[in-house]
Amino acid sequence: MAIEPDTKNWTWVIDAACPDCGFDGSAVTIGDVPGIIDANTDGWPEQLDRPDVRERPDGSTWSPLEYGAHVRDVHRKMTERLELMLAEDDPLFPNWDQDATAVADRYGEQDPATVARELRAAADRAVAAFGAVSDDQLDRTGRRSDGSGFTVATLAVYYAHDPVHHLWDVRRTS
């Protein structure tokens, strides 16, 4: 269930349209990201209120609740990474094993209403943080623990794809 693409292949997210969800990173700028995140967040309460919110459609796909908890944490993690990039020169981001986090934090056992509230709060914080980036900060850099490098501009587009794709994932299983 790893979501983060392989180091060699992550750039497709910012260079082309996703063949699944249709998100076209080549048409997105950092100025679009707050609106994308805000609109996407509006779609999560309905998904987290589904009667099958804890049910996995198959053995290798997360439930709507697990996806919602993951998206909440993506908002938190990407805001944290943006803040590091703006505060430090070329920071190395702490490793984040998304699958291990899902297990350790028991995503599938969390309260859906709490996840919905926390997802909205984390998204609002991300919208404010990415919305406040100035043009002279767009080329600041940071690196994942696997060595993948980002600028603030590419991190924003890479980030915006994740919640969009996961809402698409959840909606197609309803």
Side-chain angles (χ1 to χ4, degrees):
M1 274 184 263
I3 309 303
E4 204 162 359
D6 173 281
T7 301
K8 297 178 182 106
N9 299 322
W10 74 267
T11 59
W12 71 268
V13 172
I14 61 169
D15 293 335
C18 176
D20 296 325
C21 72
F23 177 90
D24 187 355
S26 69
V28 174
T29 68
I30 193 169
D32 302 319
V33 170
I36 291 168
I37 297 304
D38 194 48
N40 175 270
T41 302
D42 289 344
W44 281 99
E46 178 183 356
Q47 300 307 315
L48 292 168
D49 196 35
R50 290 169 43 169
D52 66 342
V53 71
R54 295 180 191 280
E55 294 176 27
R56 288 182 165 197
D58 58 59
S60 64
T61 305
W62 280 343
S63 70
L65 177 57
E66 290 168 307
Y67 273 121
H70 169 71
V71 168
R72 173 203 59 209
D73 289 353
V74 166
H75 292 313
R76 291 171 175 169
K77 188 60 61 181
M78 292 304 167
T79 302
E80 172 187 297
R81 289 178 175 183
L82 174 64
E83 290 168 348
L84 277 172
M85 292 172 81
L86 297 178
E88 300 177 17
D89 289 333
D90 197 33
L92 180 63
F93 308 137
N95 186 44
W96 183 42
D97 184 328
Q98 299 168 54
D99 293 323
T101 301
V103 172
D105 290 353
R106 304 169 79 149
Y107 280 177
E109 297 174 32
Q110 293 184 21
D111 174 61
T114 301
V115 170
R117 282 191 306 276
E118 291 173 349
L119 191 155
R120 171 49 73 184
D124 288 348
R125 185 168 173 247
V127 163
F130 281 89
V133 171
S134 61
D135 288 345
D136 65 325
Q137 296 173 313
L138 295 177
D139 292 328
R140 293 188 61 81
T141 59
R143 294 167 287 121
R144 283 195 319 214
S145 59
D146 67 4
S148 295
F150 293 88
T151 65
V152 167
T154 59
L155 180 76
V157 175
Y158 175 81
Y159 157 52
H161 172 255
D162 203 77
V164 168
H165 193 97
H166 294 318
L167 187 58
W168 175 83
D169 283 328
V170 170
R171 285 179 171 159
R172 72 186 172 98
T173 65
S174 60

